[in-house]
Amino acid sequence: MNIILLGPPGAGKGTQAKMLIDAYGIPQISTGDMLREAVKNQTPLGLEAKKYMDAGKLVTDEVVIGLVKERIAREDCAKGFMLDGFPRTVPQAEELDKVLADMQKGIDHVVSIEVPNSELMGRLTGRRTCKACGQGFHMIFDPPKVEGVCDKCGGELYQRDDDNEETVSNRLQVYEDQTKPLINYYQEKSLLRPIDGVGAIKEIFERVKAVLG
Ligand code: AP5
Ligand code: ZN
């Protein structure tokens, strides 16, 4: 099964993806995580991408398309994959369609996680992530048992550089302008599966599983 997780910053794409890996046994492909890894390793791509990410802007289509192309060709994607944070523009979606068609593959479901803007700022500024395993937490909605320490692996938690109020505002605007048109794009292809993203994390997981079957 090939899935896209669509939704604004803070909708819970990463949170649900981590739970879906175990439930469906398919890998999560997060372009955000791949770019942050490149930033951490100070690769030329990472150094270039950081400027965009810190400003809350999108990295160029060519760069992310290149990353995804290479990733979905790997063997662990043979039985399916879950795209998180990609595509994010109509040109990215069109290119993905072409790449998949060349591989005789296609998308089965686009899970669109809907959360009102008023809730997103608080979710993002309160987010903490494990440095070691990538598990996400929230200071209020999903706090770790011990402050600053990952429940899963004992790793240290950190706050993302782009989770400050100013950058979050920019990211939300970029979503409205550049990513929201994908809702229509996938609606027209009858692939859109809208999910109410407000409620307990586990409840939302049940909603997602219900549409995936
Ligand atoms: P990326 O890493 O993709 O960030 P994003 O889309 O902004 O999404 P987030 O990771 O912020 O949100 P999420 O929906 O995963 O939320 P989460 O589950 O963590 O992209 C970062 C940057 O990289 C971009 O700005 C861009 O520069 C670049 N980039 C990446 N992909 C690109 C592309 N394709 N093209 C161009 N540039 C690209 O949840 C958030 C918080 O809420 C957590 O603390 C969580 O615990 C909490 N939470 C989750 N669910 C609930 C719930 N139900 N109730 C309460 N709290 C909840
Ligand atoms: Zn961890």
Side-chain angles (χ1 to χ4, degrees):
M1 184 161 49
N2 302 330
I3 313 169
I4 292 174
L5 295 173
L6 187 65
K13 303 180 295 291
T15 303
Q16 296 298 324
K18 295 275 180 303
M19 298 166 84
L20 287 166
I21 296 174
D22 298 333
Y24 290 88
I26 53 176
Q28 169 198 16
I29 302 177
S30 159
T31 43
D33 285 351
M34 290 161 96
L35 291 167
R36 277 184 290 280
E37 187 64 24
V39 170
K40 195 174 94 187
N41 295 331
Q42 299 194 319
T43 66
L45 188 153
L47 293 173
E48 180 63 21
K50 186 168 168 41
K51 293 184 236 161
Y52 295 93
M53 295 170 80
D54 284 349
K57 293 184 182 156
L58 295 182
V59 175
T60 61
D61 287 340
E62 283 154 24
V63 166
V64 283
I65 288 164
L67 286 176
V68 171
K69 245 183 174 170
E70 189 270 330
R71 182 66 187 84
I72 55 182
R74 287 199 219 155
E75 212 179 310
D76 64 341
C77 292
K79 285 194 185 139
F81 53 81
M82 192 175 8
L83 290 166
D84 162 9
F86 180 93
R88 242 186 171 86
T89 63
V90 171
Q92 288 181 19
E94 289 170 345
E95 191 59 28
L96 176 66
D97 285 344
K98 279 188 214 154
V99 170
L100 291 178
D102 286 347
M103 299 169 84
Q104 268 123 36
K105 289 184 179 184
I107 294 295
D108 300 298
H109 303 285
V110 177
V111 178
S112 171
I113 308 180
E114 299 176 344
V115 176
N117 257 3
S118 54
E119 184 149 338
L120 297 171
M121 178 64 79
R123 283 200 189 182
L124 290 168
T125 51
R127 169 168 50 193
R128 299 293 182 271
T129 310
C130 176
K131 268 186 185 168
C133 76
Q135 180 67 36
F137 295 89
H138 191 281
M139 303 277 279
I140 297 160
F141 307 127
D142 184 20
K145 291 192 184 87
V146 179
E147 199 183 321
V149 180
C150 176
D151 289 355
K152 224 175 159 182
C153 77
E156 190 190 335
L157 303 185
Y158 76 101
Q159 181 171 29
R160 265 168 53 173
D161 287 343
D162 60 349
D163 277 348
N164 60 77
E165 275 191 35
E166 191 188 344
T167 310
V168 169
S169 297
N170 292 340
R171 287 161 59 200
L172 294 174
Q173 192 58 49
V174 165
Y175 172 79
E176 287 294 321
D177 298 340
Q178 301 190 55
T179 308
K180 225 177 181 178
L182 291 179
I183 292 180
N184 265 339
Y185 183 89
Y186 288 116
Q187 177 90 61
E188 281 168 10
K189 293 178 186 290
S190 303
L191 291 174
L192 198 75
R193 317 283 181 251
I195 298 279
D196 177 5
V198 179
I201 291 171
K202 278 189 183 153
E203 265 171 49
I204 293 156
F205 184 53
E206 293 305 319
R207 292 176 202 156
V208 175
K209 282 197 296 185
V211 303
L212 297 180

